[in-house]
Amino acid sequence: MGKLAVYKYAAAMFLSIQIVVSILTLVGLFGGNVTPVGNTARAMSVYILPVLIAANLLLLIYWLIRRKWLLALIPVVSVACCIPYIGTLYQLRFDDPKDDTRPGLKIASYNVAMFGRETSGFMAQDILAEMRRQKVDVLCIQEYNEISGDKKNSESYKEYFPYMQVGRSDMVIFSRYPITGNKTILFEETNNSAMWVDINFKGKALRIFNVHLETTGINRTLHSAGKMMMQHHDIDSNRLINALVGNYMMGMMFRSGQAITIANEKRESDKPIILCGDFNDVPYSFVYNTVKGDLVDGFKECGAGWMYTYRGMKKQPVRIDYIFHDEQLKGISYYKTELTYSDHFPIFMKLSL
């Protein structure tokens, strides 16, 4: 009787865990459909989806070992519901995602982290060399620094990218095709911004957005905590956790408002859109869903393998940089290269019209 009671208790406990995990998984999948303002917990549930998927897989293994076939269907269904989400992080394709021999427009997006604030111009020159190698037609840069950038390399940049438009001081778009219009989009209460340019690509008018949304604030908080520890040799862990959560929630609120601003700006376009940049947010979040709208996620369309673009968190790769495009356009290739000049990787996409 004692052993049977233990088995029953364990089965009830694992079933309870399974129900909770499955409910949280479904909440996370739809958490990005609500604004974080007034729905913080639900909106943040999307950030733990990878953990929840892993938990479902572990529970599936448990039910299979116990030969509880009906109960094993619960994690199977939960993970199956996550397939569209998983597709924003991983794509199983056997063709080369860098194969862009077909004609089209090649666009790149890169948060260059102010070129490390180095003043020799070497870093900017090496990035330009990479863009030449990749045969990029339009380059969208976030966290730009003109002192380290084109001011030090003006002739070589102009030689390859004859057209250039600066938004706010840390936003720029370089183009090999004529820029016929532009707009800078400023966000309230933050230093982040966005911009768009209209280009004439072989007689076809396109509108290209370059977006840099509010940061998470985590690195800034950890940096401040490190300085405090250096000065006082001690720090309250509860205060640190509260500061991290508070800063992240504040950044999430700002990004949600900025995403709505971008979505409204998109609706006013009478031209096919290509939208790229550093969103500082993960796939399926409110920011991702709002900015993407009815656009196509380039990675889901023609990327391959695991896609992560932020290299600042060791062993915790995160995808926060994106290229979306209008349904009128067709993706040919999508990939990143592992340049180490920034805490981000540059991403590339080629599109046919």
Side-chain angles (χ1 to χ4, degrees), residues 253-264:
M253 303 289 186
F254 282 133
R255 286 194 300 278
S256 65
Q258 294 166 359
I260 292 172
T261 299
I262 297 300
N264 291 335

Side-chain angles (χ1 to χ4, degrees), residues 52-318:
L52 294 170
I53 292 171
N56 275 294
L57 292 174
L58 289 173
L59 287 164
L60 173 61
I61 293 172
Y62 171 78
W63 297 126
L64 292 176
I65 292 174
R66 293 292 308 276
R67 298 186 179 183
K68 303 289 185 180
W69 313 121
L70 288 177
L71 292 177
L73 288 175
I74 302 176
V76 168
V77 171
S78 298
V79 173
C81 290
C82 295
I83 289 175
Y85 165 77
I86 295 170
T88 65
L89 305 175
Y90 180 83
Q91 285 290 324
L92 180 62
R93 284 192 177 87
F94 299 103
D95 51 338
D96 184 1
K98 296 183 180 182
D99 181 12
D100 55 8
T101 53
R102 285 172 286 173
L105 179 74
K106 186 83 168 277
I107 186 165
S109 178
Y110 194 15
N111 182 324
V112 298
M114 299 291 182
F115 299 103
R117 299 189 185 276
E118 60 93 25
T119 56
S120 69
F122 166 78
M123 191 179 296
Q125 191 67 27
D126 212 31
I127 289 171
L128 174 60
E130 177 69 8
M131 299 304 149
R132 284 177 177 270
R133 281 193 294 271
Q134 301 298 334
K135 298 180 180 178
V136 170
D137 296 309
V138 178
L139 169 61
C140 296
I141 289 182
Q142 307 89 42
E143 292 195 30
Y144 177 70
N145 181 346
E146 65 176 8
I147 302 302
S148 302
D150 70 296
K151 286 292 180 67
K152 285 283 183 181
N153 303 274
S154 57
E155 292 306 317
S156 54
Y157 264 75
K158 288 178 182 177
E159 179 186 345
Y160 187 72
F161 293 112
Y163 307 96
M164 169 187 176
Q165 183 63 52
V166 177
R168 210 169 192 168
S169 59
D170 64 340
M171 296 282 289
V172 65
I173 295 177
F174 293 101
S175 175
R176 292 177 58 79
Y177 294 93
I179 293 175
T180 59
N182 68 90
K183 181 178 180 180
T184 299
I185 305 165
L186 303 179
F187 301 132
E188 296 180 2
E189 300 179 355
T190 77
N191 293 324
N192 295 75
S193 64
M195 64 182 294
W196 57 254
V197 299
D198 291 335
I199 68 167
N200 183 336
F201 176 65
K202 300 179 179 179
K204 178 74 171 180
L206 298 172
R207 179 160 295 177
I208 299 177
F209 282 78
N210 186 10
V211 176
H212 186 206
L213 303 185
E214 178 68 12
T215 183
T216 60
I218 290 178
N219 286 341
R220 183 171 59 247
T221 304
L222 291 174
H223 180 70
S224 299
K227 290 177 67 176
M228 289 176 63
M229 290 184 67
M230 292 286 290
Q231 294 171 359
H232 304 290
H233 307 290
D234 190 20
I235 187 170
D236 187 343
S237 59
N238 289 331
R239 286 178 59 193
L240 176 59
I241 292 172
N242 289 335
L244 288 171
V245 174
N247 277 349
Y248 196 90
M249 289 175 59
M250 186 65 69
M252 189 167 60
M253 303 289 186
F254 282 133
R255 286 194 300 278
S256 65
Q258 294 166 359
I260 292 172
T261 299
I262 297 300
N264 291 335
E265 191 70 34
K266 280 169 46 190
R267 293 190 190 99
E268 297 180 5
S269 176
D270 58 351
K271 303 172 180 65
I273 290 172
I274 302 171
L275 190 152
C276 63
D278 173 11
F279 293 8
N280 274 309
D281 223 321
V282 298
Y284 262 55
S285 65
F286 177 81
V287 167
Y288 173 91
N289 290 340
T290 302
V291 175
K292 177 178 172 291
D294 58 358
L295 299 180
V296 178
D297 183 335
F299 172 69
K300 290 188 70 175
E301 181 185 24
C302 53
W306 289 105
M307 177 52 64
Y308 55 94
T309 63
Y310 183 67
R311 56 182 292 270
M313 300 176 69
K314 293 181 179 179
K315 299 182 180 180
Q316 296 183 29
V318 183

